[in-house]
């Protein structure tokens, strides 16, 4: 019961704040253009209390998730007085910016949240500050072909003496961008072993290890995705995966590589759960098209993280990079949904968001900020889809009216909105149904 209440509280804070920020964007730009705003509400439903300043009733309503803005003359079906302060009395370009302001505020807020997080609470994996001691080498990798072996210690890379893992990864990233060779020296049983490699792509978190080997990074499960192979096989959060098909695991990236090399064949996993050793068979599922991985089992890692401060410029660059990556992933997912390459079963609805928010709240502020940024970017992109009733649908209607140089009829607009409402309700029902199915025992 306590866990459920924490999830409810988290979703009110996480989703509610990002919806409120969206509406504040509409509100502030509407005020800027002289549109009369009748209501700015924190929450939905019946008014509980508030105050009136000027023409606007600032209120708190009964359902504390998000909020809304009611602008004068924003409903074409309602009778208008012709007041120049009404929304529909404003030029189309002003209405465009008022509508666009909502999603824009989501993007800006997500960026600021991430930049603030990285400035004061920049995460770094604990193993990254340790010396580079190799615990394993990816199969058929450049490192293996060059003779790097488990137990080797990296004592020099690109002129850096006794580097830690972060320094080594940064050096590989730099060499990758330049498409150049990199010189390294390993130590084994008191002997030095010089290695020179042509550095290929190191775009993902695990690719640097193709050139230097795996770090010691225990494979402990943090989250298990509902409805995915790991959850169906009985794996749980806090489980430590110590071997796959009899081969010991010492690194999360080693685990990821083992999943990809399985080619979808069942995997025998040895799990440490508390003081017990248990065995599970997990059958990897094919990942969505354009994913960086081909196979997946539906778990995410629990890694020991240390935190420090980061200069604002560096934090801003990192926040921008993360925001762009989030946006690209969402756009690709939406595109695959419309092309039928991804099922709605893979999309989380309100219950999935509640679970994600609750789990983030239990892990700490940093995870809550990350989830808020992700949800904010989601709201921004989804609201820009050209679907009636969404901001993107209103922008589409404005574009049509600007092209034909006249307003569409009220009747046509009503039909336009009705179609969008029915479509979104159908999607909502399907996603909610899938959310419930994922939570049922044995699913």
């Amino acid at each position: 019961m306590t866990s459920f209440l924490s999830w409810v509280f988290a979703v009110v804070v996480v989703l509610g704040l990002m919806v409120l920020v969206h509406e504040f964007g509409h509100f502030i730009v509407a005020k800027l253009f002289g549109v009369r705003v009748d209501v700015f509400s924190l929450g939905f439903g019946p008014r509980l209390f508030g105050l009136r300043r000027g023409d606007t009733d600032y209120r708190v309503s009964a359902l504390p998730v998000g909020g809304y803005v009611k602008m004068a003359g924003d409903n074409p079906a309602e009778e208008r007085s012709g007041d120049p302060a009404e929304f529909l009395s404003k030029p189309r370009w002003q209405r465009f910016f008022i509508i666009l302001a909502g999603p824009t505020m989501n993007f800006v807020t997500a960026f600021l949240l991430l930049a603030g997080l990285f400035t004061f609470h920049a995460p770094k994996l604990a193993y990254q500050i340790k010396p580079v001691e190799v615990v394993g080498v990816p199969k058929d990798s450049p490192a293996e072909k060059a003779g790097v072996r488990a137990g080797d210690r990296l004592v020099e890379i690109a002129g850096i003496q006794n580097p830690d893992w972060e320094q080594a990864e940064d050096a590989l990233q730099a060499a990758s961008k330049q498409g150049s060779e990199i010189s390294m020296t390993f130590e084994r049983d008191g002997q030095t072993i010089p290695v020179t490699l042509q550095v290929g792509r190191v775009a993902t978190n695990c690719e640097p290890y193709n050139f230097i080997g795996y770090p010691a990074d225990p494979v402990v499960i943090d989250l298990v995705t509902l409805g995915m192979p790991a959850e169906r096989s009985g794996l749980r959060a806090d489980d430590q995966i110590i071997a796959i098909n009899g081969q010991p695991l010492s690194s999360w990236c080693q685990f990821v590589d083992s999943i990809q090399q399985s080619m979808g064949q069942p995997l025998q996993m040895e799990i440490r759960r508390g003081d017990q050793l248990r065995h599970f068979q997990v059958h990897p599922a094919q990942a969505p098209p354009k994913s960086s991985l081909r196979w997946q089992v539906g778990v995410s890692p629990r890694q020991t993280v240390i935190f420090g401060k980061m200069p604002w410029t560096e934090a801003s660059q990192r926040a921008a990079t993360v925001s762009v990556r989030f946006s690209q992933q969402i756009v690709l997912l939406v595109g695959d949904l419309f092309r039928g390459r991804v099922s709605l079963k893979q999309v989380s609805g309100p219950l999935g968001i509640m679970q994600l928010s609750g789990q983030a709240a239990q892990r700490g502020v940093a995870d809550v900020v990350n989830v808020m940024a992700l949800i904010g970017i989601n709201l921004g992109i989804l609201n820009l889809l050209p679907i009636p009733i969404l901001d993107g649908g209103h922008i589409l209607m404005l574009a049509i009216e600007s092209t034909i140089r006249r307003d569409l009829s009220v009747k046509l607009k009503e039909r336009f909105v009705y179609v969008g409402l029915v479509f979104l309700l159908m999607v909502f029902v399907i996603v909610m149904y899938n959310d419930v199915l994922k939570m049922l025992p044995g699913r």
Side-chain angles (χ1 to χ4, degrees):
M1 184 64 179
T2 303
S3 176
F4 176 77
L5 290 176
S6 70
W7 285 14
V8 171
F9 177 76
V11 79
V12 167
V13 173
V14 173
L15 182 59
L17 282 178
M18 296 315 295
V19 172
L20 193 63
V21 161
H22 179 97
E23 296 301 327
F24 181 75
H26 294 312
F27 169 81
I28 200 69
V29 178
K31 285 285 193 180
L32 180 66
F33 287 132
V35 175
R36 189 176 78 248
V37 178
D38 294 331
V39 177
F40 184 91
S41 177
L42 174 61
F44 295 91
R47 184 182 192 274
L48 296 180
F49 59 87
L51 58 89
R52 178 171 289 277
R53 288 286 178 86
D55 297 316
T56 306
D57 177 21
Y58 299 91
R59 65 172 65 167
V60 175
S61 299
L63 300 176
V65 180
Y68 68 93
V69 170
K70 175 68 175 73
M71 292 178 280
D74 62 356
N75 188 346
E78 293 178 354
E79 186 176 345
R80 291 165 49 201
S81 65
D83 187 336
E86 291 181 338
F87 175 75
L88 290 173
S89 297
K90 296 297 179 180
R92 292 190 185 95
W93 69 270
Q94 291 187 5
R95 284 183 270 161
F96 167 80
F97 281 109
I98 292 170
I99 294 169
L100 186 64
T104 301
M105 277 297 292
N106 286 130
F107 296 130
V108 170
T109 302
F111 168 79
L112 292 175
L113 283 170
L114 291 171
L117 175 65
F118 297 148
T119 299
F120 300 104
H121 202 67
K124 183 182 293 186
L125 298 178
Y127 76 83
Q128 289 182 308
I129 63 173
K130 295 180 179 179
V132 180
E133 296 178 351
V134 179
V135 297
V137 183
K139 185 179 179 181
D140 298 326
S141 66
E144 184 185 61
K145 293 174 182 177
V148 180
R149 299 290 180 265
D152 289 355
R153 184 173 183 270
L154 183 66
V155 294
E156 184 271 333
I157 181 170
I160 304 171
Q161 301 298 317
N162 299 313
D164 59 29
W165 281 97
E166 185 177 41
Q167 290 172 319
E169 291 167 12
D170 288 344
L172 287 165
Q173 288 280 1
S176 173
K177 290 177 181 177
Q178 297 169 3
S180 61
E181 291 184 337
I182 194 166
S183 297
M184 300 179 285
T185 302
F186 290 87
E187 185 179 79
R188 182 190 305 160
D189 299 327
Q191 296 184 330
T192 57
I193 303 169
V195 173
T196 300
L197 291 175
Q198 180 71 37
V199 181
R201 194 181 83 146
V202 292
T204 66
N205 293 337
C206 292
E207 284 175 342
Y209 308 134
N210 288 325
F211 303 94
I212 53 176
Y214 295 120
D217 182 24
V219 186
V220 179
I221 296 174
D222 188 40
L223 292 177
V224 180
T225 305
L226 293 173
M228 293 296 290
E231 191 262 342
R232 291 197 297 266
S233 298
L235 269 63
R236 300 177 187 170
D238 300 327
D239 285 349
Q240 180 178 353
I241 307 174
I242 59 177
I244 289 185
N245 291 342
Q247 298 298 314
L249 286 181
S250 301
S251 167
W252 180 263
C253 286
Q254 188 179 9
F255 169 70
V256 172
D257 288 343
S258 298
I259 299 298
Q260 303 316 303
Q261 292 163 10
S262 73
M263 300 302 292
Q265 296 301 308
L267 297 169
Q268 306 300 323
M269 296 191 185
E270 187 174 353
I271 304 294
R272 178 177 287 117
R273 180 176 293 170
D275 296 329
Q276 295 182 328
L277 289 181
R278 305 184 65 174
H279 294 82
F280 296 86
Q281 178 173 283
V282 182
H283 197 145
Q286 198 157 14
K290 297 187 180 179
S291 170
S292 60
L293 302 175
R294 185 175 178 185
W295 302 98
Q296 59 186 10
V297 297
V299 295
S300 59
R302 174 173 299 164
Q303 296 170 308
T304 304
V305 177
I306 57 176
F307 297 94
K309 294 185 178 181
M310 183 181 288
W312 170 255
T313 52
E314 187 179 344
S316 298
Q317 292 172 354
R318 184 169 177 181
T321 300
V322 172
S323 297
V324 169
R325 186 171 73 244
F326 280 169
S327 300
Q328 289 172 337
Q329 292 171 347
I330 296 164
V331 169
L332 286 175
L333 175 62
V334 171
D336 288 339
L337 277 170
F338 279 98
R339 285 193 292 267
R341 295 179 180 177
V342 174
S343 169
L344 276 174
K345 293 180 180 180
Q346 295 175 259
V347 178
S348 292
L351 295 179
I353 293 173
M354 182 182 291
Q355 182 193 33
L356 180 64
S357 302
Q359 290 168 338
Q362 291 171 352
R363 292 194 300 271
V365 174
D367 279 75
V368 171
V369 171
N370 272 305
V371 170
M372 286 179 69
L374 178 59
I375 289 176
I377 293 171
N378 262 282
L379 286 173
I381 291 175
L382 295 179
N383 264 284
L384 287 174
L385 293 177
I387 298 173
I389 210 172
L390 298 180
D391 292 332
H394 292 298
I395 291 173
L396 176 61
M397 281 198 291
L398 285 174
I400 294 172
E401 290 178 342
S402 297
T403 302
I404 64 176
R405 297 189 176 183
R406 62 179 177 83
D407 287 350
L408 297 171
S409 68
V410 172
K411 192 172 183 179
L412 183 59
K413 287 182 179 180
E414 287 178 342
R415 289 179 178 174
F416 195 64
V417 170
Y418 177 76
V419 169
L421 180 62
V422 171
F423 174 77
L424 290 179
L425 284 174
M426 289 175 59
V427 171
F428 177 80
V429 170
I430 293 171
V431 170
M432 279 290 290
Y433 173 75
N434 290 329
D435 272 356
V436 173
L437 279 185
K438 290 175 187 177
M439 293 185 174
L440 292 177
R443 297 295 297 187

